[in-house]
PDB file of all heavy atoms in Angstrom:
ATOM      1  N   THR A   3      -3.868  15.095   7.353  1.00  0.00           N
ATOM      2  CA  THR A   3      -4.046  16.492   7.745  1.00  0.00           C
ATOM      3  C   THR A   3      -3.088  16.814   8.883  1.00  0.00           C
ATOM      4  O   THR A   3      -3.079  16.120   9.905  1.00  0.00           O
ATOM      5  CB  THR A   3      -5.495  16.754   8.185  1.00  0.00           C
ATOM      6  OG1 THR A   3      -6.375  16.456   7.096  1.00  0.00           O
ATOM      7  CG2 THR A   3      -5.677  18.204   8.589  1.00  0.00           C
ATOM      8  N   ILE A   4      -2.298  17.848   8.713  1.00  0.00           N
ATOM      9  CA  ILE A   4      -1.286  18.235   9.691  1.00  0.00           C
ATOM     10  C   ILE A   4      -1.706  19.553  10.325  1.00  0.00           C
ATOM     11  O   ILE A   4      -2.005  20.532   9.624  1.00  0.00           O
ATOM     12  CB  ILE A   4       0.102  18.390   9.026  1.00  0.00           C
ATOM     13  CG1 ILE A   4       0.437  17.167   8.172  1.00  0.00           C
ATOM     14  CG2 ILE A   4       1.168  18.624  10.083  1.00  0.00           C
ATOM     15  CD1 ILE A   4       0.452  15.868   8.944  1.00  0.00           C
ATOM     16  N   ALA A   5      -1.745  19.587  11.654  1.00  0.00           N
ATOM     17  CA  ALA A   5      -2.071  20.816  12.391  1.00  0.00           C
ATOM     18  C   ALA A   5      -0.768  21.490  12.821  1.00  0.00           C
ATOM     19  O   ALA A   5       0.079  20.862  13.466  1.00  0.00           O
ATOM     20  CB  ALA A   5      -2.940  20.486  13.601  1.00  0.00           C
ATOM     21  N   VAL A   6      -0.598  22.763  12.451  1.00  0.00           N
ATOM     22  CA  VAL A   6       0.606  23.507  12.806  1.00  0.00           C
ATOM     23  C   VAL A   6       0.191  24.797  13.506  1.00  0.00           C
ATOM     24  O   VAL A   6      -0.899  25.323  13.290  1.00  0.00           O
ATOM     25  CB  VAL A   6       1.472  23.821  11.564  1.00  0.00           C
ATOM     26  CG1 VAL A   6       1.938  22.545  10.902  1.00  0.00           C
ATOM     27  CG2 VAL A   6       0.700  24.678  10.559  1.00  0.00           C
ATOM     28  N   ASP A   7       1.087  25.274  14.346  1.00  0.00           N
ATOM     29  CA  ASP A   7       0.836  26.526  15.061  1.00  0.00           C
ATOM     30  C   ASP A   7       0.866  27.693  14.061  1.00  0.00           C
ATOM     31  O   ASP A   7       1.850  27.893  13.353  1.00  0.00           O
ATOM     32  CB  ASP A   7       1.891  26.715  16.150  1.00  0.00           C
ATOM     33  CG  ASP A   7       1.606  27.925  17.020  1.00  0.00           C
ATOM     34  OD1 ASP A   7       1.920  29.047  16.580  1.00  0.00           O
ATOM     35  OD2 ASP A   7       1.056  27.750  18.119  1.00  0.00           O
ATOM     36  N   LYS A   8      -0.205  28.441  14.021  1.00  0.00           N
ATOM     37  CA  LYS A   8      -0.350  29.514  13.034  1.00  0.00           C
ATOM     38  C   LYS A   8       0.697  30.608  13.227  1.00  0.00           C
ATOM     39  O   LYS A   8       1.373  31.011  12.271  1.00  0.00           O
ATOM     40  CB  LYS A   8      -1.760  30.109  13.122  1.00  0.00           C
ATOM     41  CG  LYS A   8      -2.044  31.226  12.131  1.00  0.00           C
ATOM     42  CD  LYS A   8      -3.486  31.711  12.257  1.00  0.00           C
ATOM     43  CE  LYS A   8      -3.785  32.827  11.269  1.00  0.00           C
ATOM     44  NZ  LYS A   8      -5.191  33.290  11.364  1.00  0.00           N
ATOM     45  N   ALA A   9       0.861  31.063  14.445  1.00  0.00           N
ATOM     46  CA  ALA A   9       1.804  32.153  14.704  1.00  0.00           C
ATOM     47  C   ALA A   9       3.236  31.718  14.398  1.00  0.00           C
ATOM     48  O   ALA A   9       4.018  32.478  13.814  1.00  0.00           O
ATOM     49  CB  ALA A   9       1.677  32.623  16.149  1.00  0.00           C
ATOM     50  N   ALA A  10       3.577  30.472  14.799  1.00  0.00           N
ATOM     51  CA  ALA A  10       4.942  29.983  14.575  1.00  0.00           C
ATOM     52  C   ALA A  10       5.228  29.842  13.088  1.00  0.00           C
ATOM     53  O   ALA A  10       6.326  30.171  12.615  1.00  0.00           O
ATOM     54  CB  ALA A  10       5.136  28.646  15.286  1.00  0.00           C
ATOM     55  N   LEU A  11       4.241  29.347  12.309  1.00  0.00           N
ATOM     56  CA  LEU A  11       4.464  29.174  10.874  1.00  0.00           C
ATOM     57  C   LEU A  11       4.615  30.521  10.181  1.00  0.00           C
ATOM     58  O   LEU A  11       5.524  30.704   9.352  1.00  0.00           O
ATOM     59  CB  LEU A  11       3.305  28.385  10.257  1.00  0.00           C
ATOM     60  CG  LEU A  11       3.414  28.116   8.752  1.00  0.00           C
ATOM     61  CD1 LEU A  11       4.666  27.316   8.431  1.00  0.00           C
ATOM     62  CD2 LEU A  11       2.185  27.390   8.228  1.00  0.00           C
ATOM     63  N   PHE A  12       3.776  31.485  10.516  1.00  0.00           N
ATOM     64  CA  PHE A  12       3.887  32.805   9.891  1.00  0.00           C
ATOM     65  C   PHE A  12       5.197  33.489  10.272  1.00  0.00           C
ATOM     66  O   PHE A  12       5.777  34.231   9.476  1.00  0.00           O
ATOM     67  CB  PHE A  12       2.701  33.681  10.279  1.00  0.00           C
ATOM     68  CG  PHE A  12       1.401  33.260   9.630  1.00  0.00           C
ATOM     69  CD1 PHE A  12       0.206  33.879   9.969  1.00  0.00           C
ATOM     70  CD2 PHE A  12       1.381  32.251   8.672  1.00  0.00           C
ATOM     71  CE1 PHE A  12      -0.989  33.504   9.363  1.00  0.00           C
ATOM     72  CE2 PHE A  12       0.190  31.861   8.068  1.00  0.00           C
ATOM     73  CZ  PHE A  12      -0.998  32.485   8.420  1.00  0.00           C
ATOM     74  N   LYS A  13       5.672  33.217  11.488  1.00  0.00           N
ATOM     75  CA  LYS A  13       6.969  33.765  11.900  1.00  0.00           C
ATOM     76  C   LYS A  13       8.084  33.172  11.048  1.00  0.00           C
ATOM     77  O   LYS A  13       9.014  33.886  10.630  1.00  0.00           O
ATOM     78  CB  LYS A  13       7.212  33.478  13.381  1.00  0.00           C
ATOM     79  CG  LYS A  13       8.524  34.041  13.904  1.00  0.00           C
ATOM     80  CD  LYS A  13       8.704  33.730  15.389  1.00  0.00           C
ATOM     81  CE  LYS A  13      10.035  34.266  15.914  1.00  0.00           C
ATOM     82  NZ  LYS A  13      10.225  33.948  17.351  1.00  0.00           N
ATOM     83  N   GLU A  14       8.004  31.870  10.777  1.00  0.00           N
ATOM     84  CA  GLU A  14       9.012  31.229   9.925  1.00  0.00           C
ATOM     85  C   GLU A  14       8.955  31.773   8.508  1.00  0.00           C
ATOM     86  O   GLU A  14       9.996  31.944   7.863  1.00  0.00           O
ATOM     87  CB  GLU A  14       8.774  29.713   9.904  1.00  0.00           C
ATOM     88  CG  GLU A  14       9.231  28.973  11.145  1.00  0.00           C
ATOM     89  CD  GLU A  14      10.736  28.915  11.259  1.00  0.00           C
ATOM     90  OE1 GLU A  14      11.404  28.642  10.240  1.00  0.00           O
ATOM     91  OE2 GLU A  14      11.272  29.173  12.357  1.00  0.00           O
ATOM     92  N   LEU A  15       7.741  32.060   8.032  1.00  0.00           N
ATOM     93  CA  LEU A  15       7.597  32.555   6.661  1.00  0.00           C
ATOM     94  C   LEU A  15       7.925  34.038   6.544  1.00  0.00           C
ATOM     95  O   LEU A  15       8.023  34.561   5.423  1.00  0.00           O
ATOM     96  CB  LEU A  15       6.169  32.295   6.159  1.00  0.00           C
ATOM     97  CG  LEU A  15       5.746  30.824   6.063  1.00  0.00           C
ATOM     98  CD1 LEU A  15       4.326  30.711   5.544  1.00  0.00           C
ATOM     99  CD2 LEU A  15       6.698  30.037   5.178  1.00  0.00           C
ATOM    100  N   GLY A  16       8.064  34.720   7.675  1.00  0.00           N
ATOM    101  CA  GLY A  16       8.519  36.106   7.659  1.00  0.00           C
ATOM    102  C   GLY A  16       7.445  37.146   7.448  1.00  0.00           C
ATOM    103  O   GLY A  16       7.762  38.317   7.221  1.00  0.00           O
ATOM    104  N   ARG A  17       6.156  36.763   7.515  1.00  0.00           N
ATOM    105  CA  ARG A  17       5.088  37.746   7.363  1.00  0.00           C
ATOM    106  C   ARG A  17       3.773  37.135   7.836  1.00  0.00           C
ATOM    107  O   ARG A  17       3.654  35.926   8.024  1.00  0.00           O
ATOM    108  CB  ARG A  17       4.939  38.219   5.927  1.00  0.00           C
ATOM    109  CG  ARG A  17       4.663  37.119   4.917  1.00  0.00           C
ATOM    110  CD  ARG A  17       4.028  37.633   3.639  1.00  0.00           C
ATOM    111  NE  ARG A  17       2.643  38.017   3.836  1.00  0.00           N
ATOM    112  CZ  ARG A  17       1.807  38.299   2.848  1.00  0.00           C
ATOM    113  NH1 ARG A  17       2.238  38.260   1.596  1.00  0.00           N
ATOM    114  NH2 ARG A  17       0.555  38.628   3.093  1.00  0.00           N
ATOM    115  N   GLU A  18       2.788  38.009   8.054  1.00  0.00           N
ATOM    116  CA  GLU A  18       1.448  37.577   8.436  1.00  0.00           C
ATOM    117  C   GLU A  18       0.590  37.408   7.168  1.00  0.00           C
ATOM    118  O   GLU A  18       0.715  38.178   6.214  1.00  0.00           O
ATOM    119  CB  GLU A  18       0.798  38.593   9.373  1.00  0.00           C
ATOM    120  CG  GLU A  18       1.477  38.718  10.727  1.00  0.00           C
ATOM    121  CD  GLU A  18       1.298  37.468  11.588  1.00  0.00           C
ATOM    122  OE1 GLU A  18       0.199  36.880  11.533  1.00  0.00           O
ATOM    123  OE2 GLU A  18       2.251  37.098  12.290  1.00  0.00           O
ATOM    124  N   TYR A  19      -0.250  36.405   7.199  1.00  0.00           N
ATOM    125  CA  TYR A  19      -1.166  36.148   6.095  1.00  0.00           C
ATOM    126  C   TYR A  19      -2.596  36.164   6.612  1.00  0.00           C
ATOM    127  O   TYR A  19      -2.867  35.714   7.742  1.00  0.00           O
ATOM    128  CB  TYR A  19      -0.912  34.772   5.460  1.00  0.00           C
ATOM    129  CG  TYR A  19       0.382  34.642   4.694  1.00  0.00           C
ATOM    130  CD1 TYR A  19       1.582  34.343   5.353  1.00  0.00           C
ATOM    131  CD2 TYR A  19       0.413  34.795   3.314  1.00  0.00           C
ATOM    132  CE1 TYR A  19       2.765  34.200   4.653  1.00  0.00           C
ATOM    133  CE2 TYR A  19       1.593  34.648   2.593  1.00  0.00           C
ATOM    134  CZ  TYR A  19       2.761  34.348   3.271  1.00  0.00           C
ATOM    135  OH  TYR A  19       3.942  34.209   2.570  1.00  0.00           O
ATOM    136  N   THR A  20      -3.491  36.668   5.794  1.00  0.00           N
ATOM    137  CA  THR A  20      -4.903  36.450   6.108  1.00  0.00           C
ATOM    138  C   THR A  20      -5.243  35.004   5.732  1.00  0.00           C
ATOM    139  O   THR A  20      -4.461  34.331   5.034  1.00  0.00           O
ATOM    140  CB  THR A  20      -5.802  37.402   5.306  1.00  0.00           C
ATOM    141  OG1 THR A  20      -5.669  37.095   3.902  1.00  0.00           O
ATOM    142  CG2 THR A  20      -5.414  38.852   5.552  1.00  0.00           C
ATOM    143  N   THR A  21      -6.382  34.532   6.199  1.00  0.00           N
ATOM    144  CA  THR A  21      -6.778  33.161   5.880  1.00  0.00           C
ATOM    145  C   THR A  21      -6.875  32.974   4.372  1.00  0.00           C
ATOM    146  O   THR A  21      -6.435  31.947   3.826  1.00  0.00           O
ATOM    147  CB  THR A  21      -8.122  32.825   6.546  1.00  0.00           C
ATOM    148  OG1 THR A  21      -7.991  32.989   7.955  1.00  0.00           O
ATOM    149  CG2 THR A  21      -8.536  31.398   6.243  1.00  0.00           C
ATOM    150  N   GLU A  22      -7.410  33.963   3.670  1.00  0.00           N
ATOM    151  CA  GLU A  22      -7.561  33.862   2.219  1.00  0.00           C
ATOM    152  C   GLU A  22      -6.198  33.860   1.525  1.00  0.00           C
ATOM    153  O   GLU A  22      -5.975  33.099   0.573  1.00  0.00           O
ATOM    154  CB  GLU A  22      -8.401  35.031   1.687  1.00  0.00           C
ATOM    155  CG  GLU A  22      -9.875  35.005   2.089  1.00  0.00           C
ATOM    156  CD  GLU A  22     -10.077  35.368   3.554  1.00  0.00           C
ATOM    157  OE1 GLU A  22      -9.150  35.986   4.154  1.00  0.00           O
ATOM    158  OE2 GLU A  22     -11.143  35.030   4.113  1.00  0.00           O
ATOM    159  N   GLU A  23      -5.275  34.686   2.003  1.00  0.00           N
ATOM    160  CA  GLU A  23      -3.953  34.742   1.389  1.00  0.00           C
ATOM    161  C   GLU A  23      -3.196  33.432   1.584  1.00  0.00           C
ATOM    162  O   GLU A  23      -2.549  32.931   0.657  1.00  0.00           O
ATOM    163  CB  GLU A  23      -3.147  35.905   1.984  1.00  0.00           C
ATOM    164  CG  GLU A  23      -3.624  37.281   1.557  1.00  0.00           C
ATOM    165  CD  GLU A  23      -2.905  38.386   2.288  1.00  0.00           C
ATOM    166  OE1 GLU A  23      -2.374  38.135   3.396  1.00  0.00           O
ATOM    167  OE2 GLU A  23      -2.874  39.519   1.759  1.00  0.00           O
ATOM    168  N   PHE A  24      -3.280  32.880   2.799  1.00  0.00           N
ATOM    169  CA  PHE A  24      -2.560  31.632   3.043  1.00  0.00           C
ATOM    170  C   PHE A  24      -3.222  30.475   2.286  1.00  0.00           C
ATOM    171  O   PHE A  24      -2.532  29.566   1.816  1.00  0.00           O
ATOM    172  CB  PHE A  24      -2.506  31.323   4.541  1.00  0.00           C
ATOM    173  CG  PHE A  24      -1.625  30.156   4.872  1.00  0.00           C
ATOM    174  CD1 PHE A  24      -0.248  30.269   4.791  1.00  0.00           C
ATOM    175  CD2 PHE A  24      -2.172  28.925   5.230  1.00  0.00           C
ATOM    176  CE1 PHE A  24       0.579  29.184   5.076  1.00  0.00           C
ATOM    177  CE2 PHE A  24      -1.362  27.846   5.520  1.00  0.00           C
ATOM    178  CZ  PHE A  24       0.018  27.965   5.443  1.00  0.00           C
ATOM    179  N   ASP A  25      -4.545  30.510   2.172  1.00  0.00           N
ATOM    180  CA  ASP A  25      -5.240  29.489   1.388  1.00  0.00           C
ATOM    181  C   ASP A  25      -4.771  29.529  -0.059  1.00  0.00           C
ATOM    182  O   ASP A  25      -4.565  28.478  -0.692  1.00  0.00           O
ATOM    183  CB  ASP A  25      -6.748  29.720   1.475  1.00  0.00           C
ATOM    184  CG  ASP A  25      -7.550  28.615   0.810  1.00  0.00           C
ATOM    185  OD1 ASP A  25      -7.087  27.455   0.861  1.00  0.00           O
ATOM    186  OD2 ASP A  25      -8.617  28.905   0.247  1.00  0.00           O
TER     187      ASP A  25
END
Side-chain angles (χ1 to χ4, degrees):
T3 300
I4 310 301
V6 298
D7 186 280
K8 181 178 180 179
L11 181 60
F12 288 174
K13 181 180 179 181
E14 283 290 316
L15 297 181
R17 58 159 287 191
E18 294 291 322
Y19 291 84
T20 64
T21 301
E22 291 73 19
E23 289 173 337
F24 188 72
D25 186 33

